[in-house]
Amino acid sequence: MKKLLLIGMLLLCAVNVFARDVTVSVTAGENWKGTHAPQFAIWLEDTEGNYITTLYVTEKASKKSWIFCPKEGRPESLPVWYHASKQDVRKGKEAQKANARLQLDTVTGATPAAGVSFSQRITDAPCVIKAEFNVSFDYNDVYTKDNSNDNGQPSVVYEAKIDGTLDAPIALAFSGTGSLAGSDGEIHTDTQGLVTALSIVRSVTVRTDR
């Protein structure tokens, strides 16, 4: 029994040694307060592109509680995050049960009124933080009701590599868009036609808590 207790304490110490507390801050942009609230997810991947964990996700995106959506769900809403975390995007209990392994309840929240700032413990190893944002029905002359379904303009993705100590806040850089139809999890670099999608957020930063 004593040996098991000692092993448990050593494992707990190892977790604390190889982890750090960070604060992620999202500053709302001009298109944050539109007709529809933005949906977004912020997560970590290792430097090889493998999903580690989700740090924050809005409730509709997490629980797939879309209004008037087909049973296939809304994979186009946050396609990069959905594919990275290997989620079942369909509506219904079967999909929810399959996604229970992700344990998203503790990092799920309603869309904040004007940006959000939260703290999380993350790995101390080099990793990549990604953030994906989308506003439904965000149509313009390029992304119309006829060619972009419910999405309008596609999701936008920001990312930054976290390597070593964060002596100053790191700003996530815009890296591209998600698939317009949600058919893949790639980040697409063709940004032609993006207008209001680029002003959902003003900035996304991450810093070490001290």
Side-chain angles (χ1 to χ4, degrees), residues 31-32 36-41 58 66 74-79 111 131-138 150-157 178-180 197 200-201:
N31 196 36
W32 185 279
H36 299 275
Q39 302 304 317
F40 64 94
T58 48
W66 311 108
R74 291 275 324 275
E76 73 280 3
S77 57
L78 298 174
T111 300
E132 184 175 23
F133 301 85
N134 193 8
V135 173
S136 298
F137 311 109
D138 194 11
D150 292 341
N151 225 17
Q153 296 168 70
S155 66
V156 289
V157 183
S179 165
L180 187 61
I200 299 173
V201 296

PDB file of all heavy atoms in Angstrom, residues 31-32 36-41 58 66 74-79 111 131-138 150-157 178-180 197 200-201:
ATOM      1  N   ASN A  31     -16.683  41.955 -35.870  1.00  0.00           N
ATOM      2  CA  ASN A  31     -17.708  41.011 -36.308  1.00  0.00           C
ATOM      3  C   ASN A  31     -18.076  40.012 -35.218  1.00  0.00           C
ATOM      4  O   ASN A  31     -18.727  39.009 -35.491  1.00  0.00           O
ATOM      5  CB  ASN A  31     -17.238  40.261 -37.567  1.00  0.00           C
ATOM      6  CG  ASN A  31     -18.377  39.560 -38.290  1.00  0.00           C
ATOM      7  OD1 ASN A  31     -19.502  40.060 -38.337  1.00  0.00           O
ATOM      8  ND2 ASN A  31     -18.097  38.392 -38.842  1.00  0.00           N
ATOM      9  N   TRP A  32     -17.651  40.244 -33.986  1.00  0.00           N
ATOM     10  CA  TRP A  32     -17.991  39.331 -32.883  1.00  0.00           C
ATOM     11  C   TRP A  32     -19.480  39.420 -32.554  1.00  0.00           C
ATOM     12  O   TRP A  32     -20.146  38.426 -32.335  1.00  0.00           O
ATOM     13  CB  TRP A  32     -17.152  39.678 -31.658  1.00  0.00           C
ATOM     14  CG  TRP A  32     -17.321  38.737 -30.502  1.00  0.00           C
ATOM     15  CD1 TRP A  32     -18.316  38.724 -29.570  1.00  0.00           C
ATOM     16  CD2 TRP A  32     -16.451  37.648 -30.154  1.00  0.00           C
ATOM     17  NE1 TRP A  32     -18.123  37.719 -28.652  1.00  0.00           N
ATOM     18  CE2 TRP A  32     -16.983  37.045 -28.997  1.00  0.00           C
ATOM     19  CE3 TRP A  32     -15.271  37.142 -30.702  1.00  0.00           C
ATOM     20  CZ2 TRP A  32     -16.372  35.951 -28.374  1.00  0.00           C
ATOM     21  CZ3 TRP A  32     -14.663  36.058 -30.082  1.00  0.00           C
ATOM     22  CH2 TRP A  32     -15.213  35.474 -28.941  1.00  0.00           C
ATOM     23  N   HIS A  36     -25.474  36.417 -35.412  1.00  0.00           N
ATOM     24  CA  HIS A  36     -25.241  35.126 -34.772  1.00  0.00           C
ATOM     25  C   HIS A  36     -23.938  35.172 -33.990  1.00  0.00           C
ATOM     26  O   HIS A  36     -22.934  35.710 -34.462  1.00  0.00           O
ATOM     27  CB  HIS A  36     -25.181  34.016 -35.825  1.00  0.00           C
ATOM     28  CG  HIS A  36     -26.450  33.881 -36.616  1.00  0.00           C
ATOM     29  ND1 HIS A  36     -27.526  33.142 -36.181  1.00  0.00           N
ATOM     30  CD2 HIS A  36     -26.817  34.418 -37.811  1.00  0.00           C
ATOM     31  CE1 HIS A  36     -28.498  33.213 -37.063  1.00  0.00           C
ATOM     32  NE2 HIS A  36     -28.094  33.984 -38.069  1.00  0.00           N
ATOM     33  N   ALA A  37     -23.961  34.595 -32.806  1.00  0.00           N
ATOM     34  CA  ALA A  37     -22.773  34.588 -31.959  1.00  0.00           C
ATOM     35  C   ALA A  37     -21.706  33.685 -32.568  1.00  0.00           C
ATOM     36  O   ALA A  37     -22.024  32.647 -33.156  1.00  0.00           O
ATOM     37  CB  ALA A  37     -23.130  34.092 -30.561  1.00  0.00           C
ATOM     38  N   PRO A  38     -20.439  34.047 -32.448  1.00  0.00           N
ATOM     39  CA  PRO A  38     -19.382  33.202 -33.005  1.00  0.00           C
ATOM     40  C   PRO A  38     -19.230  31.910 -32.210  1.00  0.00           C
ATOM     41  O   PRO A  38     -19.445  31.878 -30.997  1.00  0.00           O
ATOM     42  CB  PRO A  38     -18.132  34.078 -32.877  1.00  0.00           C
ATOM     43  CG  PRO A  38     -18.423  34.986 -31.726  1.00  0.00           C
ATOM     44  CD  PRO A  38     -19.899  35.245 -31.803  1.00  0.00           C
ATOM     45  N   GLN A  39     -18.877  30.858 -32.901  1.00  0.00           N
ATOM     46  CA  GLN A  39     -18.516  29.598 -32.271  1.00  0.00           C
ATOM     47  C   GLN A  39     -17.001  29.424 -32.434  1.00  0.00           C
ATOM     48  O   GLN A  39     -16.440  29.787 -33.467  1.00  0.00           O
ATOM     49  CB  GLN A  39     -19.263  28.426 -32.915  1.00  0.00           C
ATOM     50  CG  GLN A  39     -20.775  28.562 -32.870  1.00  0.00           C
ATOM     51  CD  GLN A  39     -21.305  28.764 -31.454  1.00  0.00           C
ATOM     52  OE1 GLN A  39     -20.855  28.092 -30.516  1.00  0.00           O
ATOM     53  NE2 GLN A  39     -22.241  29.690 -31.285  1.00  0.00           N
ATOM     54  N   PHE A  40     -16.353  28.888 -31.409  1.00  0.00           N
ATOM     55  CA  PHE A  40     -14.912  28.727 -31.523  1.00  0.00           C
ATOM     56  C   PHE A  40     -14.393  27.633 -30.604  1.00  0.00           C
ATOM     57  O   PHE A  40     -15.057  27.216 -29.646  1.00  0.00           O
ATOM     58  CB  PHE A  40     -14.184  30.049 -31.245  1.00  0.00           C
ATOM     59  CG  PHE A  40     -14.330  30.602 -29.850  1.00  0.00           C
ATOM     60  CD1 PHE A  40     -13.393  30.335 -28.864  1.00  0.00           C
ATOM     61  CD2 PHE A  40     -15.392  31.436 -29.533  1.00  0.00           C
ATOM     62  CE1 PHE A  40     -13.515  30.866 -27.596  1.00  0.00           C
ATOM     63  CE2 PHE A  40     -15.529  31.979 -28.266  1.00  0.00           C
ATOM     64  CZ  PHE A  40     -14.586  31.694 -27.286  1.00  0.00           C
ATOM     65  N   ALA A  41     -13.203  27.159 -30.944  1.00  0.00           N
ATOM     66  CA  ALA A  41     -12.503  26.163 -30.132  1.00  0.00           C
ATOM     67  C   ALA A  41     -11.030  26.529 -30.098  1.00  0.00           C
ATOM     68  O   ALA A  41     -10.476  27.030 -31.082  1.00  0.00           O
ATOM     69  CB  ALA A  41     -12.686  24.761 -30.713  1.00  0.00           C
ATOM     70  N   THR A  58     -16.963  26.548 -27.345  1.00  0.00           N
ATOM     71  CA  THR A  58     -18.310  27.047 -27.099  1.00  0.00           C
ATOM     72  C   THR A  58     -19.313  25.895 -27.060  1.00  0.00           C
ATOM     73  O   THR A  58     -19.106  24.836 -27.647  1.00  0.00           O
ATOM     74  CB  THR A  58     -18.711  28.066 -28.166  1.00  0.00           C
ATOM     75  OG1 THR A  58     -18.407  27.546 -29.464  1.00  0.00           O
ATOM     76  CG2 THR A  58     -17.966  29.376 -27.970  1.00  0.00           C
ATOM     77  N   TRP A  66     -27.116  22.553 -32.556  1.00  0.00           N
ATOM     78  CA  TRP A  66     -27.483  23.489 -33.604  1.00  0.00           C
ATOM     79  C   TRP A  66     -28.997  23.501 -33.812  1.00  0.00           C
ATOM     80  O   TRP A  66     -29.656  22.472 -33.676  1.00  0.00           O
ATOM     81  CB  TRP A  66     -26.808  23.103 -34.919  1.00  0.00           C
ATOM     82  CG  TRP A  66     -25.351  22.828 -34.805  1.00  0.00           C
ATOM     83  CD1 TRP A  66     -24.727  21.623 -34.871  1.00  0.00           C
ATOM     84  CD2 TRP A  66     -24.307  23.788 -34.586  1.00  0.00           C
ATOM     85  NE1 TRP A  66     -23.363  21.763 -34.713  1.00  0.00           N
ATOM     86  CE2 TRP A  66     -23.084  23.083 -34.537  1.00  0.00           C
ATOM     87  CE3 TRP A  66     -24.294  25.167 -34.431  1.00  0.00           C
ATOM     88  CZ2 TRP A  66     -21.866  23.713 -34.335  1.00  0.00           C
ATOM     89  CZ3 TRP A  66     -23.080  25.805 -34.233  1.00  0.00           C
ATOM     90  CH2 TRP A  66     -21.890  25.076 -34.189  1.00  0.00           C
ATOM     91  N   ARG A  74     -23.167  19.884 -38.200  1.00  0.00           N
ATOM     92  CA  ARG A  74     -22.600  21.049 -38.860  1.00  0.00           C
ATOM     93  C   ARG A  74     -21.073  20.909 -38.908  1.00  0.00           C
ATOM     94  O   ARG A  74     -20.342  21.667 -38.258  1.00  0.00           O
ATOM     95  CB  ARG A  74     -22.953  22.332 -38.091  1.00  0.00           C
ATOM     96  CG  ARG A  74     -24.406  22.756 -38.113  1.00  0.00           C
ATOM     97  CD  ARG A  74     -24.790  23.588 -39.318  1.00  0.00           C
ATOM     98  NE  ARG A  74     -23.745  24.487 -39.760  1.00  0.00           N
ATOM     99  CZ  ARG A  74     -23.514  25.702 -39.273  1.00  0.00           C
ATOM    100  NH1 ARG A  74     -24.247  26.196 -38.303  1.00  0.00           N
ATOM    101  NH2 ARG A  74     -22.552  26.453 -39.769  1.00  0.00           N
ATOM    102  N   PRO A  75     -20.542  19.951 -39.653  1.00  0.00           N
ATOM    103  CA  PRO A  75     -19.086  19.755 -39.696  1.00  0.00           C
ATOM    104  C   PRO A  75     -18.343  20.962 -40.243  1.00  0.00           C
ATOM    105  O   PRO A  75     -17.155  21.141 -39.986  1.00  0.00           O
ATOM    106  CB  PRO A  75     -18.913  18.545 -40.617  1.00  0.00           C
ATOM    107  CG  PRO A  75     -20.146  18.530 -41.469  1.00  0.00           C
ATOM    108  CD  PRO A  75     -21.239  19.012 -40.562  1.00  0.00           C
ATOM    109  N   GLU A  76     -19.054  21.809 -41.007  1.00  0.00           N
ATOM    110  CA  GLU A  76     -18.415  22.978 -41.599  1.00  0.00           C
ATOM    111  C   GLU A  76     -18.222  24.115 -40.590  1.00  0.00           C
ATOM    112  O   GLU A  76     -17.540  25.103 -40.891  1.00  0.00           O
ATOM    113  CB  GLU A  76     -19.241  23.492 -42.788  1.00  0.00           C
ATOM    114  CG  GLU A  76     -20.530  24.208 -42.446  1.00  0.00           C
ATOM    115  CD  GLU A  76     -21.689  23.278 -42.115  1.00  0.00           C
ATOM    116  OE1 GLU A  76     -21.479  22.051 -42.087  1.00  0.00           O
ATOM    117  OE2 GLU A  76     -22.808  23.778 -41.881  1.00  0.00           O
ATOM    118  N   SER A  77     -18.802  23.998 -39.404  1.00  0.00           N
ATOM    119  CA  SER A  77     -18.710  25.095 -38.442  1.00  0.00           C
ATOM    120  C   SER A  77     -17.285  25.268 -37.918  1.00  0.00           C
ATOM    121  O   SER A  77     -16.742  26.377 -37.939  1.00  0.00           O
ATOM    122  CB  SER A  77     -19.690  24.871 -37.283  1.00  0.00           C
ATOM    123  OG  SER A  77     -19.442  23.624 -36.664  1.00  0.00           O
ATOM    124  N   LEU A  78     -16.681  24.188 -37.432  1.00  0.00           N
ATOM    125  CA  LEU A  78     -15.286  24.217 -36.954  1.00  0.00           C
ATOM    126  C   LEU A  78     -14.560  22.970 -37.452  1.00  0.00           C
ATOM    127  O   LEU A  78     -14.154  22.105 -36.671  1.00  0.00           O
ATOM    128  CB  LEU A  78     -15.250  24.282 -35.424  1.00  0.00           C
ATOM    129  CG  LEU A  78     -15.882  25.512 -34.761  1.00  0.00           C
ATOM    130  CD1 LEU A  78     -15.910  25.354 -33.250  1.00  0.00           C
ATOM    131  CD2 LEU A  78     -15.162  26.789 -35.160  1.00  0.00           C
ATOM    132  N   PRO A  79     -14.377  22.844 -38.747  1.00  0.00           N
ATOM    133  CA  PRO A  79     -13.869  21.589 -39.318  1.00  0.00           C
ATOM    134  C   PRO A  79     -12.462  21.216 -38.895  1.00  0.00           C
ATOM    135  O   PRO A  79     -12.159  20.032 -38.752  1.00  0.00           O
ATOM    136  CB  PRO A  79     -13.941  21.844 -40.834  1.00  0.00           C
ATOM    137  CG  PRO A  79     -13.894  23.319 -40.982  1.00  0.00           C
ATOM    138  CD  PRO A  79     -14.641  23.849 -39.801  1.00  0.00           C
ATOM    139  N   THR A 111     -20.886  31.234 -25.536  1.00  0.00           N
ATOM    140  CA  THR A 111     -20.107  32.250 -26.240  1.00  0.00           C
ATOM    141  C   THR A 111     -20.069  33.521 -25.403  1.00  0.00           C
ATOM    142  O   THR A 111     -21.119  34.081 -25.082  1.00  0.00           O
ATOM    143  CB  THR A 111     -20.714  32.567 -27.613  1.00  0.00           C
ATOM    144  OG1 THR A 111     -20.731  31.381 -28.408  1.00  0.00           O
ATOM    145  CG2 THR A 111     -19.891  33.631 -28.324  1.00  0.00           C
ATOM    146  N   ALA A 131      -6.538  28.074 -32.631  1.00  0.00           N
ATOM    147  CA  ALA A 131      -7.855  28.625 -32.321  1.00  0.00           C
ATOM    148  C   ALA A 131      -8.631  28.785 -33.618  1.00  0.00           C
ATOM    149  O   ALA A 131      -8.118  29.332 -34.593  1.00  0.00           O
ATOM    150  CB  ALA A 131      -7.715  29.973 -31.612  1.00  0.00           C
ATOM    151  N   GLU A 132      -9.857  28.284 -33.621  1.00  0.00           N
ATOM    152  CA  GLU A 132     -10.697  28.339 -34.828  1.00  0.00           C
ATOM    153  C   GLU A 132     -12.007  29.049 -34.501  1.00  0.00           C
ATOM    154  O   GLU A 132     -12.642  28.745 -33.487  1.00  0.00           O
ATOM    155  CB  GLU A 132     -10.979  26.928 -35.339  1.00  0.00           C
ATOM    156  CG  GLU A 132     -11.763  26.886 -36.645  1.00  0.00           C
ATOM    157  CD  GLU A 132     -11.915  25.471 -37.197  1.00  0.00           C
ATOM    158  OE1 GLU A 132     -11.812  24.517 -36.402  1.00  0.00           O
ATOM    159  OE2 GLU A 132     -12.127  25.329 -38.409  1.00  0.00           O
ATOM    160  N   PHE A 133     -12.407  29.990 -35.354  1.00  0.00           N
ATOM    161  CA  PHE A 133     -13.598  30.804 -35.130  1.00  0.00           C
ATOM    162  C   PHE A 133     -14.490  30.768 -36.370  1.00  0.00           C
ATOM    163  O   PHE A 133     -14.006  30.697 -37.493  1.00  0.00           O
ATOM    164  CB  PHE A 133     -13.216  32.264 -34.850  1.00  0.00           C
ATOM    165  CG  PHE A 133     -12.325  32.446 -33.662  1.00  0.00           C
ATOM    166  CD1 PHE A 133     -10.948  32.306 -33.792  1.00  0.00           C
ATOM    167  CD2 PHE A 133     -12.853  32.755 -32.416  1.00  0.00           C
ATOM    168  CE1 PHE A 133     -10.111  32.467 -32.697  1.00  0.00           C
ATOM    169  CE2 PHE A 133     -12.015  32.916 -31.313  1.00  0.00           C
ATOM    170  CZ  PHE A 133     -10.650  32.776 -31.458  1.00  0.00           C
ATOM    171  N   ASN A 134     -15.795  30.866 -36.127  1.00  0.00           N
ATOM    172  CA  ASN A 134     -16.738  30.888 -37.249  1.00  0.00           C
ATOM    173  C   ASN A 134     -18.024  31.582 -36.836  1.00  0.00           C
ATOM    174  O   ASN A 134     -18.489  31.430 -35.700  1.00  0.00           O
ATOM    175  CB  ASN A 134     -17.048  29.468 -37.719  1.00  0.00           C
ATOM    176  CG  ASN A 134     -17.755  29.436 -39.069  1.00  0.00           C
ATOM    177  OD1 ASN A 134     -17.893  30.452 -39.731  1.00  0.00           O
ATOM    178  ND2 ASN A 134     -18.202  28.263 -39.468  1.00  0.00           N
ATOM    179  N   VAL A 135     -18.589  32.362 -37.750  1.00  0.00           N
ATOM    180  CA  VAL A 135     -19.907  32.959 -37.568  1.00  0.00           C
ATOM    181  C   VAL A 135     -20.805  32.426 -38.671  1.00  0.00           C
ATOM    182  O   VAL A 135     -20.496  32.579 -39.855  1.00  0.00           O
ATOM    183  CB  VAL A 135     -19.843  34.500 -37.639  1.00  0.00           C
ATOM    184  CG1 VAL A 135     -21.259  35.090 -37.619  1.00  0.00           C
ATOM    185  CG2 VAL A 135     -19.034  35.051 -36.476  1.00  0.00           C
ATOM    186  N   SER A 136     -21.898  31.797 -38.296  1.00  0.00           N
ATOM    187  CA  SER A 136     -22.810  31.225 -39.284  1.00  0.00           C
ATOM    188  C   SER A 136     -23.505  32.313 -40.102  1.00  0.00           C
ATOM    189  O   SER A 136     -23.722  33.429 -39.620  1.00  0.00           O
ATOM    190  CB  SER A 136     -23.878  30.381 -38.582  1.00  0.00           C
ATOM    191  OG  SER A 136     -23.298  29.308 -37.891  1.00  0.00           O
ATOM    192  N   PHE A 137     -23.848  31.953 -41.347  1.00  0.00           N
ATOM    193  CA  PHE A 137     -24.598  32.830 -42.248  1.00  0.00           C
ATOM    194  C   PHE A 137     -23.866  34.151 -42.515  1.00  0.00           C
ATOM    195  O   PHE A 137     -24.491  35.185 -42.727  1.00  0.00           O
ATOM    196  CB  PHE A 137     -26.003  33.107 -41.706  1.00  0.00           C
ATOM    197  CG  PHE A 137     -26.740  31.869 -41.275  1.00  0.00           C
ATOM    198  CD1 PHE A 137     -26.975  31.611 -39.933  1.00  0.00           C
ATOM    199  CD2 PHE A 137     -27.175  30.948 -42.209  1.00  0.00           C
ATOM    200  CE1 PHE A 137     -27.641  30.460 -39.536  1.00  0.00           C
ATOM    201  CE2 PHE A 137     -27.852  29.806 -41.822  1.00  0.00           C
ATOM    202  CZ  PHE A 137     -28.070  29.552 -40.488  1.00  0.00           C
ATOM    203  N   ASP A 138     -22.532  34.081 -42.517  1.00  0.00           N
ATOM    204  CA  ASP A 138     -21.715  35.281 -42.730  1.00  0.00           C
ATOM    205  C   ASP A 138     -21.454  35.442 -44.227  1.00  0.00           C
ATOM    206  O   ASP A 138     -20.343  35.251 -44.717  1.00  0.00           O
ATOM    207  CB  ASP A 138     -20.408  35.139 -41.946  1.00  0.00           C
ATOM    208  CG  ASP A 138     -19.661  36.453 -41.824  1.00  0.00           C
ATOM    209  OD1 ASP A 138     -20.254  37.494 -42.161  1.00  0.00           O
ATOM    210  OD2 ASP A 138     -18.501  36.433 -41.401  1.00  0.00           O
ATOM    211  N   ASP A 150     -24.937  27.005 -45.007  1.00  0.00           N
ATOM    212  CA  ASP A 150     -25.185  27.812 -43.813  1.00  0.00           C
ATOM    213  C   ASP A 150     -23.952  28.576 -43.354  1.00  0.00           C
ATOM    214  O   ASP A 150     -24.049  29.442 -42.490  1.00  0.00           O
ATOM    215  CB  ASP A 150     -25.665  26.935 -42.651  1.00  0.00           C
ATOM    216  CG  ASP A 150     -27.044  26.346 -42.899  1.00  0.00           C
ATOM    217  OD1 ASP A 150     -27.759  26.888 -43.758  1.00  0.00           O
ATOM    218  OD2 ASP A 150     -27.392  25.353 -42.242  1.00  0.00           O
ATOM    219  N   ASN A 151     -22.823  28.232 -43.917  1.00  0.00           N
ATOM    220  CA  ASN A 151     -21.574  28.779 -43.397  1.00  0.00           C
ATOM    221  C   ASN A 151     -21.378  30.243 -43.751  1.00  0.00           C
ATOM    222  O   ASN A 151     -20.990  31.044 -42.908  1.00  0.00           O
ATOM    223  CB  ASN A 151     -20.393  27.969 -43.954  1.00  0.00           C
ATOM    224  CG  ASN A 151     -19.384  27.630 -42.888  1.00  0.00           C
ATOM    225  OD1 ASN A 151     -19.671  27.698 -41.703  1.00  0.00           O
ATOM    226  ND2 ASN A 151     -18.193  27.280 -43.302  1.00  0.00           N
ATOM    227  N   GLY A 152     -21.628  30.607 -45.005  1.00  0.00           N
ATOM    228  CA  GLY A 152     -21.139  31.893 -45.458  1.00  0.00           C
ATOM    229  C   GLY A 152     -19.626  31.791 -45.578  1.00  0.00           C
ATOM    230  O   GLY A 152     -19.114  30.807 -46.115  1.00  0.00           O
ATOM    231  N   GLN A 153     -18.917  32.749 -45.063  1.00  0.00           N
ATOM    232  CA  GLN A 153     -17.462  32.672 -45.076  1.00  0.00           C
ATOM    233  C   GLN A 153     -16.989  31.516 -44.177  1.00  0.00           C
ATOM    234  O   GLN A 153     -17.607  31.240 -43.151  1.00  0.00           O
ATOM    235  CB  GLN A 153     -16.870  33.997 -44.595  1.00  0.00           C
ATOM    236  CG  GLN A 153     -17.188  35.161 -45.528  1.00  0.00           C
ATOM    237  CD  GLN A 153     -16.850  36.500 -44.907  1.00  0.00           C
ATOM    238  OE1 GLN A 153     -15.690  36.838 -44.735  1.00  0.00           O
ATOM    239  NE2 GLN A 153     -17.880  37.272 -44.585  1.00  0.00           N
ATOM    240  N   PRO A 154     -15.920  30.830 -44.568  1.00  0.00           N
ATOM    241  CA  PRO A 154     -15.461  29.671 -43.798  1.00  0.00           C
ATOM    242  C   PRO A 154     -14.840  30.069 -42.465  1.00  0.00           C
ATOM    243  O   PRO A 154     -14.587  31.253 -42.195  1.00  0.00           O
ATOM    244  CB  PRO A 154     -14.418  29.040 -44.721  1.00  0.00           C
ATOM    245  CG  PRO A 154     -13.889  30.191 -45.518  1.00  0.00           C
ATOM    246  CD  PRO A 154     -15.068  31.085 -45.741  1.00  0.00           C
ATOM    247  N   SER A 155     -14.603  29.075 -41.633  1.00  0.00           N
ATOM    248  CA  SER A 155     -13.941  29.317 -40.350  1.00  0.00           C
ATOM    249  C   SER A 155     -12.539  29.859 -40.585  1.00  0.00           C
ATOM    250  O   SER A 155     -11.918  29.618 -41.626  1.00  0.00           O
ATOM    251  CB  SER A 155     -13.869  28.018 -39.545  1.00  0.00           C
ATOM    252  OG  SER A 155     -13.030  27.083 -40.199  1.00  0.00           O
ATOM    253  N   VAL A 156     -12.049  30.614 -39.618  1.00  0.00           N
ATOM    254  CA  VAL A 156     -10.684  31.148 -39.686  1.00  0.00           C
ATOM    255  C   VAL A 156      -9.864  30.555 -38.545  1.00  0.00           C
ATOM    256  O   VAL A 156     -10.377  30.343 -37.439  1.00  0.00           O
ATOM    257  CB  VAL A 156     -10.675  32.693 -39.626  1.00  0.00           C
ATOM    258  CG1 VAL A 156     -11.212  33.277 -40.915  1.00  0.00           C
ATOM    259  CG2 VAL A 156     -11.486  33.207 -38.435  1.00  0.00           C
ATOM    260  N   VAL A 157      -8.594  30.274 -38.833  1.00  0.00           N
ATOM    261  CA  VAL A 157      -7.737  29.576 -37.884  1.00  0.00           C
ATOM    262  C   VAL A 157      -6.497  30.416 -37.575  1.00  0.00           C
ATOM    263  O   VAL A 157      -5.880  30.985 -38.471  1.00  0.00           O
ATOM    264  CB  VAL A 157      -7.303  28.199 -38.439  1.00  0.00           C
ATOM    265  CG1 VAL A 157      -6.476  27.439 -37.403  1.00  0.00           C
ATOM    266  CG2 VAL A 157      -8.521  27.378 -38.857  1.00  0.00           C
ATOM    267  N   GLY A 178     -10.807  26.951 -42.559  1.00  0.00           N
ATOM    268  CA  GLY A 178     -11.253  25.576 -42.569  1.00  0.00           C
ATOM    269  C   GLY A 178     -11.992  25.261 -43.854  1.00  0.00           C
ATOM    270  O   GLY A 178     -12.324  26.156 -44.646  1.00  0.00           O
ATOM    271  N   SER A 179     -12.260  23.983 -44.078  1.00  0.00           N
ATOM    272  CA  SER A 179     -13.000  23.549 -45.255  1.00  0.00           C
ATOM    273  C   SER A 179     -14.397  24.158 -45.256  1.00  0.00           C
ATOM    274  O   SER A 179     -15.105  24.124 -44.242  1.00  0.00           O
ATOM    275  CB  SER A 179     -13.098  22.021 -45.261  1.00  0.00           C
ATOM    276  OG  SER A 179     -14.072  21.568 -46.165  1.00  0.00           O
ATOM    277  N   LEU A 180     -14.810  24.716 -46.376  1.00  0.00           N
ATOM    278  CA  LEU A 180     -16.113  25.366 -46.470  1.00  0.00           C
ATOM    279  C   LEU A 180     -17.251  24.381 -46.217  1.00  0.00           C
ATOM    280  O   LEU A 180     -18.266  24.733 -45.619  1.00  0.00           O
ATOM    281  CB  LEU A 180     -16.280  26.009 -47.850  1.00  0.00           C
ATOM    282  CG  LEU A 180     -17.527  26.868 -48.054  1.00  0.00           C
ATOM    283  CD1 LEU A 180     -17.534  28.041 -47.089  1.00  0.00           C
ATOM    284  CD2 LEU A 180     -17.607  27.365 -49.494  1.00  0.00           C
ATOM    285  N   ALA A 197     -15.066  37.746 -41.808  1.00  0.00           N
ATOM    286  CA  ALA A 197     -14.508  36.613 -41.062  1.00  0.00           C
ATOM    287  C   ALA A 197     -13.177  36.973 -40.417  1.00  0.00           C
ATOM    288  O   ALA A 197     -12.806  36.428 -39.378  1.00  0.00           O
ATOM    289  CB  ALA A 197     -14.335  35.411 -41.985  1.00  0.00           C
ATOM    290  N   ILE A 200     -13.647  38.746 -36.791  1.00  0.00           N
ATOM    291  CA  ILE A 200     -14.344  38.123 -35.659  1.00  0.00           C
ATOM    292  C   ILE A 200     -13.552  38.390 -34.381  1.00  0.00           C
ATOM    293  O   ILE A 200     -14.104  38.719 -33.337  1.00  0.00           O
ATOM    294  CB  ILE A 200     -14.517  36.607 -35.875  1.00  0.00           C
ATOM    295  CG1 ILE A 200     -15.356  36.327 -37.112  1.00  0.00           C
ATOM    296  CG2 ILE A 200     -15.172  35.969 -34.643  1.00  0.00           C
ATOM    297  CD1 ILE A 200     -15.428  34.847 -37.488  1.00  0.00           C
ATOM    298  N   VAL A 201     -12.238  38.229 -34.475  1.00  0.00           N
ATOM    299  CA  VAL A 201     -11.375  38.524 -33.326  1.00  0.00           C
ATOM    300  C   VAL A 201     -10.354  39.586 -33.713  1.00  0.00           C
ATOM    301  O   VAL A 201      -9.939  39.678 -34.870  1.00  0.00           O
ATOM    302  CB  VAL A 201     -10.647  37.271 -32.805  1.00  0.00           C
ATOM    303  CG1 VAL A 201     -11.641  36.255 -32.274  1.00  0.00           C
ATOM    304  CG2 VAL A 201      -9.769  36.650 -33.870  1.00  0.00           C
TER     305      VAL A 201
END
